[in-house]
Amino acid sequence: MIEMTIARIADIVGGELADITAEEAASTRVTGTVEFDSRAVGPGGLFLALPGARSDGHDFAAAAVASGAAAVLAARPVGVPAIVVSPEPGAADAASGALEFDTDGSGAAVLAALAKLAAAVAAELVADGLTIVGVTGSSGKTSTKDLLAAVLEPLGQVIAPPGSFNNELGHPWTVLRATPETDYLILEMSARHPGNIAALAAIAPPQIAVVLNVGTAHLGEFGSREAIANTKAELPQAVPASGVVILNVDDTAVAAMAAKTEARVVRVSREPGSEVDVWAGPVALDDLARPRFTLHANGGEVEVALAVHGDHQVGNALCAAAVALQCGAGLDQVAAALAGAGPVSRRRMQVGTRADGVTVINDAYNANPDSMRAGLKALAWMSRQSPGDLHGKRRSWAVLGEMAELGDDAITEHDAIGRFAVRLDVSRLIVVGTGRTMNAMHHGAVMEGSWGSESTMVDDADAALAVLRAELQPGDVVLVKASNSVGLGALADALVAAEDADDRNADR
Ligand SMILES: Nc1ncnc2c1ncn2[C@@H]1O[C@H](COP(=O)(O)OP(=O)(O)OP(=O)(O)O)[C@@H](O)[C@H]1O
Ligand SMILES: [Mg+2]
């Protein structure tokens, strides 16, 4: 953050001082980080008192101050120096995506104050030369954010969110990590409702925006793909005329956003085209489905070998490359940075090969129909032959759980994924869970299949692990994927740990 006095922060957020005098507030500076976890607060920090599942942050205010916090941003006095804010009309709705446990609006009040503080800090840093890069899309925001951090790092100091921080809490929290030394601030922006992305962009207006794709993630909440597209378009709409909007035009809904922004548009595609600025040409995959292609841009070209897995990463990497080129990177610099950028965020296409030759693709962090197809295609590719090929095709296992939040389309989409797995010739599908949606996936596979044993239904992750432990053979490839709430990540971890884990083969 920028160092600020408690008095100035109170002024920015419109809060009242409690348990601190005006004089003290005017002379005490917040010099540390802003934290919502009291254990993370250090000297000079600012602690956000937010409601959680099991406890209320207000109960940890004293502990945060004992750990060095200069003050607490809270919804009521807490007996230690605090800036107290009260709920505003509508704030609870705006914060609903980020706070599940906000029963009295206190969380919304603190989040609204956090947004104001982040906006003030962002404005000051931008005036001082900071470049903000915003990324949205239905799938691939975190993957692209990680690639972006890698390609921008050679150009200056980068702040990017850890993991998938992308909502009304994680986004402003990330903004507040930026300091006067920061050159590039990368922000992941997600939406559950129309207006969410516009609100995030208003906190920290991006000079460069990336739109990856418009899929069906959270379709249940939005109602239609068009509504999702309109919400994603809030990002290019927020970029000023002096800025740049990077569009993945292989998605027609994204391509159409060119008409919705005043900013200069840079078009990115897998293929060359009259209007395309950055493109890949033919893509080859190595044995672990890492893409290689020629990157074309600015009248030049360079060979790129990605260190992340799956053909779907091509579009993500092209968008990241386009941003870096806009920021002044050379093609060789971009290629080198991409080659060194392996999987960073946990449980997203993390590939490891055990000592016994079983390859596990841990993609259990989340799932929607698009990312399920992307994961299954990577599985099919990796199993198409054994590395060094002595035994022909490797057996492939898809251990799949529910895709959450698909609304009325849930049954059809699960059925389609079951069919898709069989069409890709996945050797064994293990459907984890026995509800209606998983039934649909299982039956989709059985209907599409020919001998009836393509799919096995199990009650839960433990049962799936038992089947795998009993039946996996050296050389098999296993994809583990579901929405995070299903909890298959632990299964994937256990699977890798099961045999003297060894991820040498995942490294280059
Ligand atoms: N461009 C893409 N198209 C389809 N699937 C993708 C794409 N990029 C990544 N994925 C897959 O989508 C899943 C989620 O990836 P990632 O975490 O990068 O997305 P996200 O947009 O950040 O998701 P969230 O909305 O949960 O934050 C992973 O399984 C990943 O392999
Ligand atoms: Mg994410």
Side-chain angles (χ1 to χ4, degrees):
M1 201 171 99
I2 302 171
E3 292 191 9
M4 278 183 190
T5 63
I6 293 173
R8 169 132 193 258
I9 295 173
D11 193 38
I12 289 169
V13 305
E16 302 288 333
L17 297 173
D19 297 293
I20 182 169
T21 65
E23 293 73 38
E24 283 170 324
S27 62
T28 310
R29 298 172 84 79
V30 170
T31 53
T33 56
V34 178
E35 303 292 354
F36 51 84
D37 179 341
S38 59
R39 292 162 301 184
V41 176
L46 179 68
F47 175 59
L48 304 172
L50 289 168
R54 285 179 298 275
S55 56
D56 183 341
H58 290 83
D59 299 337
F60 296 90
V65 169
S67 307
V72 181
L73 187 53
R76 56 179 179 273
V78 281
V80 288
I83 300 165
V84 178
V85 289
S86 33
E88 291 171 18
D93 286 346
S96 61
L99 293 178
E100 282 174 62
F101 312 101
D102 191 20
T103 46
D104 59 1
S106 64
V110 174
L111 279 194
L114 178 69
K116 287 180 194 164
L117 180 59
V121 167
E124 200 163 311
L125 292 175
V126 166
D128 210 23
L130 174 73
T131 300
I132 299 177
V133 182
V135 184
T136 195
S138 295
S139 305
K141 296 180 292 295
T142 298
S143 308
T144 305
K145 174 267 295 183
D146 291 333
L147 294 175
L148 268 170
V151 293
L152 291 177
E153 233 129 51
L155 305 180
Q157 200 211 77
V158 177
I159 295 287
S164 188
F165 276 28
N166 59 21
N167 62 18
E168 293 71 18
L169 173 58
H171 174 278
W173 180 90
T174 305
V175 172
L176 292 170
R177 310 314 268 184
T179 69
E181 281 71 52
T182 308
D183 297 297
Y184 299 99
L185 171 61
I186 302 170
L187 296 171
E188 173 172 339
M189 298 155 98
S190 82
R192 279 163 185 268
H193 302 289
N196 285 159
I197 290 183
L200 297 178
I203 294 173
Q207 190 68 13
I208 305 180
V210 175
V211 188
L212 297 167
N213 46 50
V214 175
T216 45
H218 309 307
L219 187 61
E221 310 243 359
F222 283 96
S224 72
R225 190 163 177 262
E226 194 187 357
I228 299 175
N230 287 336
T231 305
K232 302 275 180 262
E234 292 168 12
L235 180 57
Q237 275 161 350
V239 180
S242 61
V244 183
V245 168
I246 314 274
L247 298 178
N248 172 15
V249 297
D250 292 338
D251 184 317
T252 50
V254 175
M257 292 179 198
K260 294 199 170 185
T261 180
E262 296 177 352
R264 183 159 54 85
V265 173
V266 169
R267 291 175 175 80
V268 161
S269 170
R270 295 173 66 106
E271 308 289 340
S274 57
E275 291 204 304
V276 171
D277 305 290
V278 177
W279 75 96
V283 175
L285 300 179
D286 74 4
D287 285 336
L288 292 176
R290 288 173 295 210
R292 290 160 192 270
F293 55 88
T294 308
L295 169 66
H296 303 260
N298 301 342
E301 59 180 60
V302 66
E303 294 308 310
V304 168
L306 299 182
V308 285
H309 307 264
D311 183 72
H312 58 283
Q313 292 281 8
V314 173
N316 301 342
L318 288 171
C319 287
V323 172
L325 294 170
Q326 287 300 315
C327 296
L331 282 169
D332 289 341
Q333 218 172 8
V334 170
L338 288 173
V344 178
S345 296
R346 277 187 83 214
R347 295 176 176 170
R348 285 172 194 75
M349 294 298 286
Q350 271 190 326
V351 178
T353 298
R354 308 191 323 197
D356 65 355
V358 169
T359 298
V360 179
I361 310 169
N362 181 353
D363 199 27
Y365 175 75
N366 90 6
N368 60 47
D370 298 319
S371 70
M372 274 287 191
R373 288 191 174 82
L376 284 165
K377 280 193 222 161
L379 170 70
W381 177 266
M382 286 187 212
S383 66
R384 87 207 184 289
Q385 61 177 31
S386 47
D389 176 358
L390 298 175
H391 314 287
K393 199 170 175 320
R394 303 171 78 180
R395 290 200 313 169
S396 53
W397 297 74
V399 184
L400 306 184
E402 187 168 39
M403 301 177 282
E405 299 176 2
L406 290 177
D408 294 343
D409 293 325
I411 297 291
T412 329
E413 295 286 7
H414 283 82
D415 171 84
I417 292 299
R419 291 171 191 271
F420 189 68
V422 172
R423 258 181 241 145
L424 284 176
D425 205 18
V426 168
S427 324
R428 288 284 299 277
L429 171 63
I430 299 189
V431 172
V432 185
T434 51
R436 286 174 61 229
T437 50
M438 298 320 287
N439 237 316
M441 187 185 284
H442 174 67
H443 283 111
V446 171
M447 297 294 285
E448 192 74 26
S450 39
W451 62 89
S453 61
E454 287 86 356
S455 176
T456 307
M457 249 183 130
V458 297
D459 287 345
D460 53 26
D462 287 344
L465 188 58
V467 173
L468 290 164
R469 285 203 164 126
E471 299 189 31
L472 274 183
Q473 292 169 10
D476 288 358
V477 192
V478 192
L479 168 71
V480 183
K481 186 159 176 66
S483 283
N484 200 17
S485 50
V486 180
L488 292 193
L491 180 153
D493 295 344
L495 209 53
V496 177
E499 288 294 313
D500 190 14
D502 172 5
D503 59 2
R504 270 173 309 178
N505 296 338
D507 296 328
R508 299 207 218 197

